[in-house]
Amino acid sequence: MNTSVQIRRVDPFHTVEHNLWWQAYAEAKRADMGENALIWTLEESRAEMQQRSETTERRTYVAVLDGAVVGGGSLALSLKDNLRSAALGVTVPLAHRRRGVGSALLAHIEAEAADADRTTLRAETEWPASEPDDGAGQPGIEFARRHGYTLALSDLQNRLELPVDDAIIDELLEAAPAERYAIRSWVGPVPDEILAEWAALDAVLDTEAPTGELDIEAASADVADYRADEQMQAMQGRTSFGTVALTATAGSPRTRSSSSRATTATRTSGALSCAARTAATVSACA
């Protein structure tokens, strides 16, 4: 580890500090994924970090070397569920790699997670879909492996250009069981009359999807927590689109679509992975 690297926590209400953290984050993402990098905008990240959430404590950090910010990190601590785990991130721009910056950030964040009694750490890294499925040779996954993490859960993200051809939509509609379900859609907050069921479905998304050996609990289904997330999305300048399938008799939701930004036109092609370890023992999570 480079002992001259200093790590300090970022005050999200300090404009310059947060901007420097975001710049390091964005540069690192672009270095690894180019035009396919999925990057939250500066204002989106600022709104998230400034939110006083009842469900998640979020922290960000900068690494400073010779007076300049050379990397960034993050830590998310769930406050109502998954109390044994934490989500972390380490992002170092290409020009500052191989100097111990990432290792210093990781060690600092791991220590803070341990102080919060978290025993399982999860992180995400990305690499182009053209590279090996296990990420061999890619900087993010190789960095994680060198520090005791194992490849856990991976998926492939595909690009879909918008608008979608009407013929494709018609084909999908023809295959839908129209007699059994009714489709209801809206823009903006979830309607009050279906909010409780929507929040319950949203809470189990992480556990309903394939998780392998990941130790993941369902998230909070508190409607107040969901409304708080909607308020944060509004502060970020996002527009949410929701859809549910309702049973013809009971009228209760059976499925849902994710919220998204109105300006999002593509889904990035790339493989995501999760790395995790429990205490001092490396544990695979799918």
Side-chain angles (χ1 to χ4, degrees), residues 121-125 141 150-154 214 272-276 285-286:
L121 304 182
R122 299 197 305 270
E124 292 187 355
T125 186
I141 192 65
T150 57
L151 178 63
L153 184 66
S154 62
L214 268 173
L272 297 181
S273 71
C274 165
C285 44

Side-chain angles (χ1 to χ4, degrees), residues 127-198:
W127 61 87
S130 57
E131 299 298 331
D133 290 345
D134 64 357
Q138 297 304 297
I141 192 65
E142 295 296 353
F143 173 82
R145 285 173 174 145
R146 286 197 303 273
H147 289 84
Y149 291 73
T150 57
L151 178 63
L153 184 66
S154 62
D155 64 70
L156 181 67
Q157 295 190 354
N158 296 309
R159 183 191 301 272
L160 176 65
E161 300 291 346
L162 299 180
V164 178
D165 187 274
D166 288 343
I168 296 177
I169 296 177
D170 291 340
E171 182 179 348
L172 293 172
L173 289 173
E174 288 177 4
E179 300 81 12
R180 297 175 54 194
Y181 299 98
I183 302 299
R184 179 178 178 182
S185 300
W186 63 89
V187 178
V190 178
D192 289 337
E193 62 271 22
I194 62 172
L195 176 60
E197 289 177 286
W198 174 283

Side-chain angles (χ1 to χ4, degrees), residues 14-256:
H14 190 293
T15 300
V16 174
E17 281 279 278
H18 179 81
N19 289 1
L20 290 171
W21 169 84
W22 182 87
Q23 184 176 356
Y25 150 79
E27 287 183 11
K29 291 288 188 180
R30 294 190 188 102
D32 292 334
M33 293 297 293
E35 65 177 6
N36 289 324
L38 292 174
I39 301 173
W40 281 43
T41 68
L42 175 61
E43 294 308 319
E44 284 175 331
S45 64
R46 193 191 313 279
E48 181 186 49
M49 293 307 303
Q50 290 182 352
Q51 183 198 34
R52 299 307 186 192
S53 173
E54 296 293 327
T55 61
T56 309
E57 179 184 348
R58 302 181 180 94
R59 308 174 187 177
T60 52
Y61 312 84
V62 289
V64 180
L65 183 62
D66 298 329
V69 170
V70 292
S74 62
L75 178 65
L77 304 171
S78 180
L79 302 177
K80 290 190 174 183
D81 50 72
N82 293 286
L83 299 180
R84 296 185 301 274
S85 65
L88 61 86
V90 172
T91 50
V92 180
L94 190 61
H96 303 299
R97 294 178 183 177
R98 313 299 294 180
R99 303 169 66 187
V101 175
S103 296
L105 276 164
L106 181 61
H108 185 90
I109 296 170
E110 286 180 335
E112 294 224 344
D115 287 343
D117 296 324
R118 306 301 163 121
T119 56
T120 299
L121 304 182
R122 299 197 305 270
E124 292 187 355
T125 186
E126 302 162 337
W127 61 87
S130 57
E131 299 298 331
D133 290 345
D134 64 357
Q138 297 304 297
I141 192 65
E142 295 296 353
F143 173 82
R145 285 173 174 145
R146 286 197 303 273
H147 289 84
Y149 291 73
T150 57
L151 178 63
L153 184 66
S154 62
D155 64 70
L156 181 67
Q157 295 190 354
N158 296 309
R159 183 191 301 272
L160 176 65
E161 300 291 346
L162 299 180
V164 178
D165 187 274
D166 288 343
I168 296 177
I169 296 177
D170 291 340
E171 182 179 348
L172 293 172
L173 289 173
E174 288 177 4
E179 300 81 12
R180 297 175 54 194
Y181 299 98
I183 302 299
R184 179 178 178 182
S185 300
W186 63 89
V187 178
V190 178
D192 289 337
E193 62 271 22
I194 62 172
L195 176 60
E197 289 177 286
W198 174 283
L201 288 170
D202 183 76
V204 299
L205 281 181
D206 286 341
T207 54
E208 289 290 323
T211 59
E213 296 180 14
L214 268 173
D215 182 15
I216 297 180
E217 302 171 0
S220 168
D222 191 315
V223 295
D225 294 337
Y226 195 86
R227 286 298 192 215
D229 283 343
E230 289 181 325
Q231 292 172 4
M232 183 184 70
Q233 290 170 15
M235 291 176 60
Q236 292 174 317
R238 294 185 171 211
T239 300
S240 297
F241 299 84
T243 297
V244 291
L246 304 171
T247 57
T249 53
S252 59
R254 297 304 184 200
T255 189
R256 64 176 289 274

